[in-house]
Each structure stands twice: as C-alpha cells, then as structure tokens.
Amino acid sequence: MITGIYTDYLARIGVTDPGSPSVEGLFALTRAHLERIPFENTEIQLGRPPGIDPELSVRRIGAGRGGYCFHLNGAFAALLERLGYDVTRHVGGMAADPESTEVSGDHLALTVRIDGEAYFVDVGLGDGPPEPLPLREGRYERGFRYGLRPLEGADGAGAGWTFLNEDSPFPAMNFRSAPATIADFADEHLRLSTSEDSPFLQSFFMLRRNAGVMNRLHGKILLTLDPAGGRDKRELAGPEELFEAMSTVFGRELDDLTAADRAALWARIERAHEAWLVSQQE
C-alpha cells in the first residue's frame, strides 16, 4: 500500500492508481514523471545542495522540487520498488565523445526487469527518452533519436551499456552492468554540488519534456526544441520572466525561494551571462 511521501510523489506526477507492476504501468509512470518533474540545479546554485538520500528526494519531489540524476533516478527507483518493480541501480557516466568507453561515475542509471525483459529507464538525464527502452542493441525513434549498444570490457566481456542521444550536448552515457547502491554516488555528488569546476555550479539550467517538445533553460536563454528540428529561442528579460518560466514551463514550485534567494539566483545568472558574452568576443 502506498502512503505518506509516496502518495505525494504520485500526486505530483498525476498518477492516482499506479496498479500492479506491468510493462504498461512502467511506461506510464516514466512518461508522467518526465512530463512533470524538471531536471534542475536551483538549490546548488544557491549554495544549499540537497542530499541524495532517496527518501529525501521523494519528499522534495512531492513538495514541488526537481533535481539532477542522483535525486531524480534515486527517487524514481525508490518509488518503483515500493510499487513492486524489480529495479537495479548502475554506476554511469556522461560522455561528450560518443565513442568513449569511460564510466566516470557522474550518473545514476536504472534498469527494470519485468515479464522476462530488461528495460533501460531514465528520468534523470533531462533530455533522455520519454519512455523506457528495451535493454538490447538498437536505434530507437521516440520523437528524438536514441540508441543502445553493449559496452565492452577490457577483456572483451560485456561490461555494461552505452546509451546514445543524438540530439544532446552529451551524446553518450555509459553504465556498468554491475548493481550499485546510492552510497556509490556520495563522493561524486559532493564534487558535482560543491566544486567550483562543476557545471552545476557554473551555470543555472532546467530541462523538461512537455507535450512532446524539449524545453531547456540555460541561464537567461530559454529554448524549445521539437523532434522535427524546430527551435524557438529567446532571452529572458528579467527575474520576473525567469520565475514565470520556472513555474509554468518547467513545473517547479517556487514557495521555497525567498526574495533574497530570487535576487541571488538572478545575480548569478546575470554574472554567468556576462562572462559568456565576453568569451564569445575573444
């Protein structure tokens, strides 16, 4: 029986009756999460990064927040397990080179086994597939273009998988087949949420799937991408437009942000934007 914080989580993603574990149920839960919960780093930008304990992440999502992969996939795995699904966590890593075989540890990947088949399930990429993909080699058209291929070990044995995302700034994510626990990500979470060289500290961003399109907010720049190649790009003129977009486009509740928080976040965004403009002139 689902109660407490998991009830709030299901309400946030708009699922009233998740039913018993099934392929259809897994697909519905994944789509619902991706359509309503943003990939975002607001609290990291404000200097108060949330921990990655799965129950904390479940509470935060139920209260209207988002997060990045350790929060989002961590919470989703906990929800699926509570509902009776067979979930495995894996150490993964993002790669700018689609031919890379490195597993850096900066991503928490998930697989789910049901009815004798394994699925790659990921609600923590921001721009990943809108539904689970069968965990077998192939190319998958799900609006945008994706792929999976085996990741070979040094001895030629299967070491894991490579997920390919042709429309992403990070076109590959490698993950090991071996099971992992949330504790395996503690050191990398500390680095990503506190180190000055972390992209989560350097830039503010949000991503969310919405009605078949991909919304990306990077600092002041709001992008809407559709699978046909359409791009709508605009620069947000001020903090009012920023917080309106956070609320309406990305579905993030703003009740945890004080006036001082909002001023500090906008100031960081402006500084990063000015630095970017200077870099473009060099």
Side-chain angles (χ1 to χ4, degrees):
M1 181 177 179
I2 297 296
T3 58
I5 58 175
Y6 290 92
T7 301
D8 295 338
Y9 189 161
L10 288 171
R12 173 92 190 280
I13 65 175
V15 175
T16 56
D17 181 12
S20 300
S22 67
V23 172
E24 295 79 9
L26 177 64
F27 275 54
L29 287 162
T30 304
R31 287 192 297 265
H33 181 109
L34 286 165
E35 289 171 359
R36 292 169 177 82
I37 312 301
F39 182 104
E40 53 120 344
N41 64 336
T42 304
E43 289 159 287
I44 292 176
Q45 285 278 299
L46 291 172
R48 50 173 191 259
I52 59 172
D53 174 77
E55 286 210 352
L56 171 62
S57 297
V58 167
R59 290 180 186 277
R60 292 181 62 259
I61 288 174
R65 319 292 172 246
Y68 75 111
C69 65
F70 297 159
H71 308 108
L72 302 177
N73 279 340
F76 196 55
L79 174 66
L80 291 176
E81 287 177 331
R82 182 60 65 98
L83 293 171
Y85 287 89
D86 179 7
V87 183
T88 304
R89 298 158 183 81
H90 307 270
V91 173
M94 307 304 298
D97 177 4
E99 300 306 315
S100 171
T101 59
E102 179 186 6
V103 181
S104 63
D106 63 2
H107 188 73
L108 163 59
L110 303 177
T111 58
V112 176
R113 181 168 289 276
I114 188 165
D115 293 344
E117 173 129 41
Y119 293 87
F120 170 70
V121 180
D122 206 306
V123 298
L125 284 165
D127 58 359
E131 59 190 31
L133 301 178
L135 191 64
R136 53 177 181 261
E137 187 168 10
R139 294 170 63 86
Y140 300 92
E141 187 81 26
R142 298 294 187 270
F144 297 96
R145 296 161 297 180
Y146 307 100
L148 283 166
R149 67 173 181 237
L151 176 68
E152 298 300 327
D155 59 357
W161 292 86
T162 296
F163 165 73
L164 299 167
N165 186 349
E166 297 182 18
D167 300 289
S168 174
F170 287 91
M173 188 277 292
N174 300 319
F175 66 97
R176 301 188 187 108
S177 293
T181 69
I182 199 69
D184 293 320
F185 303 95
D187 290 345
E188 190 62 15
H189 170 61
L190 180 63
R191 183 189 73 81
L192 288 172
S193 58
T194 63
S195 176
E196 288 300 323
D197 66 353
S198 167
F200 291 96
L201 266 73
Q202 293 172 349
S203 301
F204 170 72
F205 43 79
M206 303 185 83
L207 296 94
R208 179 190 174 198
R209 287 187 164 278
N210 188 9
V213 302
M214 179 67 62
N215 294 305
R216 293 179 180 168
L217 177 59
H218 192 160
K220 289 184 177 184
I221 305 302
L222 178 61
L223 280 170
T224 301
L225 310 172
D226 68 60
R231 267 172 83 93
D232 180 65
K233 177 180 176 180
R234 68 184 178 96
E235 181 177 326
L236 303 180
E240 295 81 8
E241 288 192 7
L242 169 71
F243 294 109
E244 176 70 15
M246 289 174 66
S247 176
T248 60
V249 178
F250 296 95
R252 189 196 192 279
E253 296 291 336
L254 305 177
D255 55 347
D256 62 321
L257 302 179
T258 66
D261 290 335
R262 298 182 187 216
L265 182 60
W266 181 252
R268 284 185 67 95
I269 290 170
E270 285 208 301
R271 288 195 299 271
H273 189 76
E274 292 303 316
W276 176 78
L277 290 175
V278 169
S279 72
Q280 298 305 295
Q281 298 169 1
E282 294 176 351

